[in-house]
Amino acid sequence: ERLGNGGLRATFHIEEGDILSVIRDQATRLEPDLLAIGSHGRSVLRHALIGSVAGSLLSNPPVDVLATKPR
């Protein structure tokens, strides 16, 4: 509130489909400056068996990515 809008704009989209495909398609379509993501902090074994959306996006990012992990 103190900083004001500063010309910044946020938009929200709801899409159905494979999460990585949807994120990559939307990044191509919208051309954002930054993609902010969070990770669940799952175990290494679970990550190896299931994979990781955050890990996939960080290893091959469609745009600049800001990632955070749980505390």
Side-chain angles (χ1 to χ4, degrees):
E1 191 174 293
R2 287 186 350 224
L3 297 176
N5 184 355
L8 298 177
R9 181 178 61 115
T11 57
F12 299 89
H13 298 274
I14 298 174
E15 298 283 335
E16 291 185 15
D18 173 68
I19 185 85
L20 282 172
S21 296
V22 169
I23 290 171
R24 291 186 185 285
D25 290 347
Q26 290 299 312
T28 299
R29 186 175 75 79
L30 298 171
E31 299 179 344
D33 295 324
L34 180 70
L35 174 62
I37 60 173
S39 68
H40 290 287
R42 293 189 175 120
S43 72
V44 174
L45 176 60
R46 184 168 175 155
H47 171 76
L49 295 173
I50 297 174
S52 166
V53 172
S56 295
L57 289 170
L58 289 171
S59 67
N60 186 18
V63 296
D64 288 341
V65 176
L66 170 68
T68 88
K69 61 182 184 175
R71 296 175 98 176

